[in-house]
Amino acid sequence: MSRALKEVGISTTQSTLSKDMRELGVVKAPDGGGFRYQVPAGRDRALLQREDLLKRELADFVVEVDGAENMLAVKTITGHAQGVCEAIDQAGWTGVVGTIAGENTIFILCRSTAGRQALQEKVLAITGAL
Protein backbone atom coordinates (compact mmCIF):
# COMPACT_ATOMS: atom_id res chain seq x y z
CA MET A 1 0.00 0.00 0.00
CA SER A 2 2.76 2.49 0.91
CA ARG A 3 4.53 1.69 -2.38
CA ALA A 4 1.37 2.47 -4.34
CA LEU A 5 1.03 5.78 -2.51
CA LYS A 6 4.68 6.62 -3.15
CA GLU A 7 4.20 5.99 -6.88
CA VAL A 8 1.59 8.75 -6.96
CA GLY A 9 3.75 11.14 -4.95
CA ILE A 10 2.49 10.52 -1.42
CA SER A 11 5.17 9.67 1.12
CA THR A 12 4.11 8.07 4.42
CA THR A 13 5.39 5.70 7.08
CA GLN A 14 3.89 2.28 7.70
CA SER A 15 2.90 3.39 11.20
CA THR A 16 0.95 6.41 9.92
CA LEU A 17 -0.65 4.34 7.19
CA SER A 18 -1.77 1.68 9.69
CA LYS A 19 -3.28 4.31 12.02
CA ASP A 20 -5.08 5.99 9.14
CA MET A 21 -6.46 2.66 7.90
CA ARG A 22 -7.77 1.87 11.41
CA GLU A 23 -9.30 5.33 11.69
CA LEU A 24 -11.11 4.87 8.38
CA GLY A 25 -12.38 1.44 9.45
CA VAL A 26 -10.55 -0.36 6.64
CA VAL A 27 -10.24 -4.12 7.20
CA LYS A 28 -8.50 -6.94 5.34
CA ALA A 29 -11.03 -9.43 3.94
CA PRO A 30 -10.66 -12.73 2.06
CA ASP A 31 -11.04 -12.39 -1.71
CA GLY A 32 -10.89 -15.57 -3.82
CA GLY A 33 -7.71 -17.07 -2.35
CA GLY A 34 -6.14 -13.74 -1.45
CA PHE A 35 -7.03 -10.68 0.56
CA ARG A 36 -8.27 -7.20 -0.24
CA TYR A 37 -8.93 -4.08 1.81
CA GLN A 38 -12.52 -2.99 2.33
CA VAL A 39 -14.55 -0.59 4.44
CA PRO A 40 -17.53 -1.96 6.41
CA ALA A 41 -20.81 -0.59 5.08
CA GLY A 42 -23.41 1.60 6.73
CA ARG A 43 -23.84 2.36 10.40
CA ASP A 44 -21.20 -0.13 11.56
CA ARG A 45 -18.60 1.81 9.59
CA ALA A 46 -19.51 5.13 11.23
CA LEU A 47 -19.44 3.55 14.69
CA LEU A 48 -16.05 1.94 14.04
CA GLN A 49 -14.66 5.25 12.80
CA ARG A 50 -15.83 7.16 15.91
CA GLU A 51 -14.50 4.53 18.32
CA ASP A 52 -11.17 4.22 16.53
CA LEU A 53 -10.77 7.98 16.25
CA LEU A 54 -11.50 8.44 19.96
CA LYS A 55 -9.06 5.73 21.03
CA ARG A 56 -6.37 7.09 18.72
CA GLU A 57 -6.81 10.69 19.86
CA LEU A 58 -6.77 9.75 23.54
CA ALA A 59 -3.83 7.36 23.25
CA ASP A 60 -1.72 9.63 21.04
CA PHE A 61 -2.28 13.06 22.59
CA VAL A 62 -3.50 12.89 26.20
CA VAL A 63 -0.74 13.45 28.77
CA GLU A 64 -2.65 13.97 32.02
CA VAL A 65 -6.13 13.48 33.46
CA ASP A 66 -7.38 14.98 36.73
CA GLY A 67 -10.72 15.86 38.21
CA ALA A 68 -12.61 17.58 40.98
CA GLU A 69 -16.27 17.21 41.87
CA ASN A 70 -18.08 16.87 38.53
CA MET A 71 -15.36 18.46 36.33
CA LEU A 72 -12.73 16.45 34.46
CA ALA A 73 -9.60 18.18 33.14
CA VAL A 74 -7.80 16.42 30.30
CA LYS A 75 -4.35 17.77 29.35
CA THR A 76 -3.05 17.11 25.83
CA ILE A 77 0.08 17.78 23.85
CA THR A 78 -0.01 21.46 22.87
CA GLY A 79 -2.24 22.07 19.86
CA HIS A 80 -4.25 18.86 20.14
CA ALA A 81 -7.00 19.69 22.63
CA GLN A 82 -9.49 20.68 19.90
CA GLY A 83 -9.13 17.38 18.02
CA VAL A 84 -9.34 15.27 21.16
CA CYS A 85 -12.34 17.29 22.35
CA GLU A 86 -14.16 16.77 19.03
CA ALA A 87 -13.57 13.01 19.26
CA ILE A 88 -14.98 13.04 22.81
CA ASP A 89 -18.02 15.04 21.64
CA GLN A 90 -18.66 12.64 18.78
CA ALA A 91 -18.42 9.65 21.13
CA GLY A 92 -21.58 10.89 22.83
CA TRP A 93 -20.58 9.70 26.30
CA THR A 94 -23.53 9.50 28.66
CA GLY A 95 -23.26 11.71 31.69
CA VAL A 96 -21.36 14.44 29.85
CA VAL A 97 -23.09 17.82 29.92
CA GLY A 98 -20.54 19.55 27.69
CA THR A 99 -16.90 20.16 26.83
CA ILE A 100 -14.63 23.14 26.32
CA ALA A 101 -11.19 22.92 24.70
CA GLY A 102 -8.28 25.34 24.71
CA GLU A 103 -4.82 24.82 23.25
CA ASN A 104 -3.79 21.94 25.51
CA THR A 105 -6.61 21.49 28.05
CA ILE A 106 -10.13 20.12 27.83
CA PHE A 107 -12.72 20.66 30.53
CA ILE A 108 -15.51 18.12 30.64
CA LEU A 109 -18.57 18.94 32.72
CA CYS A 110 -20.20 15.75 34.01
CA ARG A 111 -23.66 15.37 35.54
CA SER A 112 -22.27 14.03 38.82
CA THR A 113 -19.10 13.34 40.76
CA ALA A 114 -19.65 9.60 40.32
CA GLY A 115 -20.03 10.16 36.56
CA ARG A 116 -16.79 12.13 36.49
CA GLN A 117 -14.97 9.36 38.34
CA ALA A 118 -16.29 6.74 35.90
CA LEU A 119 -15.33 8.90 32.93
CA GLN A 120 -11.86 9.50 34.37
CA GLU A 121 -11.35 5.74 34.73
CA LYS A 122 -12.54 5.21 31.16
CA VAL A 123 -10.10 7.79 29.79
CA LEU A 124 -7.24 6.34 31.85
CA ALA A 125 -8.05 2.81 30.62
CA ILE A 126 -7.97 3.95 26.98
CA THR A 127 -4.74 5.91 27.42
CA GLY A 128 -3.02 3.07 29.20
CA ALA A 129 -3.26 4.62 32.70
CA LEU A 130 -0.75 7.34 31.84
Side-chain angles (χ1 to χ4, degrees):
M1 176 82 60
S2 62
R3 267 193 309 240
L5 288 170
K6 191 171 188 159
E7 288 175 8
V8 295
I10 299 171
S11 180
T12 186
T13 65
Q14 184 59 47
S15 174
T16 299
L17 184 58
S18 295
K19 285 180 183 180
D20 289 345
M21 300 272 280
R22 275 194 308 275
E23 184 177 318
L24 292 170
V26 175
V27 294
K28 211 181 229 188
D31 182 33
F35 290 93
R36 68 182 180 94
Y37 291 101
Q38 68 182 35
V39 178
R43 198 172 82 175
D44 293 338
R45 175 181 169 202
L47 180 61
L48 278 174
Q49 286 176 332
R50 278 197 311 266
E51 289 175 6
D52 284 346
L53 176 62
L54 177 63
K55 288 177 182 175
R56 179 178 169 186
E57 291 287 314
L58 291 174
D60 288 354
F61 303 120
V62 172
V63 296
E64 186 180 336
V65 181
D66 199 1
E69 300 294 327
N70 65 331
M71 178 71 74
L72 185 64
V74 178
K75 297 276 190 166
T76 69
I77 296 171
T78 300
H80 292 279
Q82 295 286 329
V84 174
C85 190
E86 179 62 21
I88 291 169
D89 288 343
Q90 289 202 15
W93 283 339
T94 58
V96 172
V97 176
T99 60
I100 299 173
E103 188 68 17
N104 69 341
T105 304
I106 302 164
F107 289 108
I108 303 172
L109 180 62
C110 300
R111 296 199 184 281
S112 67
T113 300
R116 189 268 306 155
Q117 291 169 336
L119 186 60
Q120 186 169 350
E121 289 173 12
K122 184 183 231 180
V123 171
L124 289 171
I126 292 171
T127 60
L130 305 172

